[in-house]
Amino acid sequence: MESLSQRNLVIVGQGYVGLPLAMAAIDAGWTVIGIDNSEKRVEDLNNGKSPVEDISDVTLESAIKNKRYTASTDFKNVAFADVVTICVPTPLNDSREPDLSALQNATISTAPHLRDGTLLVSESTSYPGTMRDVVIPLVEANRDSGSSNLYFAAAPERVNPGDQKWNQKNTPRLVGGIDHKSQEIAVKFYSSISSNPISVSSPEVAEAAKLLENTFRLVNIGLINEFTKLCDTAGLNVNEVISAAETKPYGFMPFRPGVGVGGHCIPVDPLYLTWWARKMQSAAPMVELADRTNHEMHKFVAAKALSLIRESKKRSRVLILGVAYKAGVSDIRESPVALLRDHLKSQGHDVHWIDPFVDMWEGTPPASHIIGFDVAILAVNQPGIDLTQILSEKIPVLDCTNSYSNVVGVTSL
Ligand SMILES: NC(=O)c1ccc[n+]([C@@H]2O[C@H](COP(=O)([O-])OP(=O)(O)OC[C@H]3O[C@@H](n4cnc5c(N)ncnc54)[C@H](O)[C@@H]3O)[C@@H](O)[C@H]2O)c1
């Protein structure tokens, strides 16, 4: 373990959130140790191999070469930090309820090494009260001098993988400290990374705002998915209707239908909100309904795609185009396209896929050629997907992405 100079940052969790934060902090003058409990990830990082699209190998290699970045599995490095940020996953468990085990484990491993005066921030998404009622008590229980002489804040990350416009620098960051001094130090830290840190009055406000941001999207997507089915019954093109409504200069924000919602945020965070509501003996039925509506959307997509097949068959050959959770990323975790595939397969159809960003999808390789299919479903409009050959083969295409209009052979959702 190397001794470090001033402005040392330790980031626990080196994934989609932690690694971009590390590189942004290095740009801002910090020296960073990225701690991760995956030995393979740490080895790759120290060999200059970035696991996330937003950070190139060249950027990572340069940070290593300039001695500004090291990855490690060793939590003793925490002892050198002025600031520690936790950026570990906060998924759902099998009952679709908050699973804070990674956050709890990361806190337990970090706590014994925190020296006096360190700021501990959680950037992981969670329900209001997580910093106060989960993280701080774990520090209290696992550090010799408890939580005294430490500073605590919640600053939920807003990274949007693959986004060319919004980055760590220009995205406003919410910062909620546990007390006045924590707030002051945390705002100072985020001022060095983001041009717009925004003070809120408590960690709970920051945590709740994060859930609201993503729940807002889930509910609006649910509304549009429901509206899509109505338009379909009425013989209206939903995307044309949305574009028409979008001409209103105020009070309307367009959301588009799709196979469902994917990624680690929109399908997950609203369930932290519904769980939080239940914890308070309350409820969030609108959010629950939107979740169910989005979760059922793949069935509508499958039925609509099969209706495009000229001669109805018991076992159709279906090609899915794009399987990552969104365009521009290779990440297949929490992709709603998996539900579409499984639903079609459960009905006896022969389902294949291609995605220029994905080499293997849950144990299956991509289709080796794109001939002989009865229908193709453009589920995610990944850069590099080309419909030319599919259309020349006269394979009907269902476009779930609003990418093609007025193209013969392509039907919009
Ligand atoms: N990915 C996004 O787009 C995004 C956007 C905003 C917020 N978030 C939130 O940020 C948090 C992190 O998400 P992510 O996408 O970066 O996850 P990720 O899976 O990409 O990376 C998390 C990393 O943490 C490591 N890890 C897990 N448990 C650990 C432990 N106990 N100690 C040390 N390392 C550990 C894993 O090995 C992994 O490398 C989550 O709460 C997520 O909801 C994610």
Side-chain angles (χ1 to χ4, degrees):
M1 194 168 45
E2 214 175 311
S3 177
L4 301 167
S5 57
Q6 271 293 301
R7 279 167 74 83
N8 296 318
L9 171 63
V10 163
I11 304 175
V12 181
Q14 288 295 278
Y16 279 88
V17 165
L19 190 60
L21 174 69
M23 296 303 125
I26 287 167
D27 271 352
W30 292 81
T31 300
V32 178
I33 299 187
I35 297 184
D36 203 287
N37 66 356
S38 158
E39 282 182 15
K40 164 88 173 81
R41 175 147 297 191
V42 165
E43 192 188 319
D44 283 351
L45 286 166
N46 283 331
N47 287 330
K49 256 177 79 182
S50 167
V52 303
E53 290 90 1
D54 289 345
I55 301 300
S56 69
D57 290 353
V58 173
T59 303
L60 181 60
E61 276 161 11
S62 140
I64 295 168
K65 202 170 128 233
N66 295 330
K67 301 204 179 313
R68 304 290 297 286
Y69 179 80
T70 332
S72 173
T73 54
D74 190 350
F75 278 85
K76 288 199 194 89
N77 285 299
V78 165
F80 295 115
D82 303 297
V83 178
V84 178
T85 62
I86 300 185
C87 306
V88 298
T90 42
L92 299 171
N93 62 21
D94 291 343
S95 318
R96 302 192 80 215
E97 291 187 341
D99 173 4
L100 294 190
S101 55
L103 180 61
Q104 289 165 317
N105 290 336
T107 306
I108 291 167
S109 306
T110 299
H113 309 290
L114 287 164
R115 61 179 164 82
D116 283 358
T118 304
L119 168 70
L120 177 66
V121 184
S122 175
E123 296 209 359
S124 291
T125 305
S126 190
Y127 55 84
T130 301
M131 174 48 69
R132 194 181 301 272
D133 302 333
V134 178
V135 174
I136 295 177
L138 282 173
V139 172
E140 188 80 43
N142 289 282
R143 181 172 178 259
D144 285 346
S145 46
S147 60
S148 55
N149 301 322
L150 293 176
Y151 304 102
F152 296 97
E157 179 53 81
R158 283 172 160 167
V159 74
N160 185 20
D163 196 323
Q164 301 299 317
K165 180 175 176 193
W166 295 107
N167 52 44
Q168 299 272 342
K169 191 77 197 163
N170 64 8
T171 305
R173 291 298 304 270
L174 300 179
V175 184
I178 200 83
D179 52 31
H180 182 72
K181 189 72 188 161
S182 296
Q183 183 69 0
E184 199 181 295
I185 295 172
V187 168
K188 200 166 164 215
F189 168 63
Y190 281 100
S191 305
S192 71
I193 291 166
S194 161
S195 49
N196 195 1
I198 295 169
S199 261
V200 295
S201 63
S202 66
E204 286 79 6
V205 171
E207 290 162 335
K210 174 73 188 182
L211 296 191
L212 176 63
E213 290 163 21
N214 286 337
T215 304
F216 170 82
R217 291 183 67 190
L218 178 99
V219 169
N220 279 288
I221 294 167
L223 169 67
I224 284 299
N225 280 336
E226 183 179 86
F227 187 68
T228 298
K229 294 178 190 171
L230 295 176
C231 285
D232 190 62
T233 307
L236 293 172
N237 179 327
V238 69
N239 283 303
E240 191 186 349
V241 178
I242 297 166
S243 299
E246 201 183 346
T247 59
K248 185 180 177 186
Y250 55 89
F252 182 81
M253 191 181 280
F255 286 81
R256 298 281 169 178
V259 177
V261 288
H264 321 292
C265 296
I266 302 171
V268 175
D269 302 355
L271 298 197
Y272 272 64
L273 190 151
T274 54
W275 183 87
W276 175 57
R278 289 198 297 280
K279 183 170 167 266
M280 296 185 293
Q281 269 81 49
S282 192
M286 192 189 289
V287 183
E288 282 173 9
L289 182 58
D291 175 52
R292 278 204 302 280
T293 305
N294 294 329
H295 229 71
E296 294 286 300
M297 196 57 189
H298 62 275
K299 293 182 188 162
F300 172 79
V301 169
K304 181 141 182 163
L306 295 172
S307 76
L308 300 179
I309 299 174
R310 286 169 198 100
E311 291 159 38
S312 126
K313 292 178 178 174
K314 256 195 130 128
R315 182 175 163 83
S316 300
R317 293 197 76 221
V318 182
L319 179 64
I320 298 179
L321 309 167
V323 301
Y325 83 84
K326 69 171 183 177
V329 301
S330 61
D331 199 345
I332 49 172
R333 295 174 301 170
E334 300 280 351
S335 169
V337 189
L339 290 175
L340 174 65
R341 172 202 60 199
D342 294 348
H343 180 66
L344 286 163
K345 279 188 163 180
S346 73
Q347 293 185 324
H349 301 293
D350 184 17
V351 186
H352 298 260
W353 64 277
I354 54 167
D355 186 318
F357 281 59
V358 180
D359 298 331
M360 285 293 277
W361 186 32
E362 295 175 8
T364 61
S368 50
H369 42 259
I370 48 176
I371 47 171
F373 287 99
D374 298 304
V375 67
I377 304 172
L378 182 61
V380 179
N381 193 24
Q382 284 283 34
I385 287 181
D386 182 2
L387 296 189
T388 316
Q389 194 191 340
I390 293 168
L391 292 174
S392 73
E393 301 276 336
K394 302 264 183 290
I395 300 169
V397 177
L398 176 66
D399 173 16
C400 305
T401 66
N402 190 35
S403 306
Y404 295 84
S405 56
N406 301 321
V407 175
V408 178
V410 180
T411 303
S412 167
L413 196 61

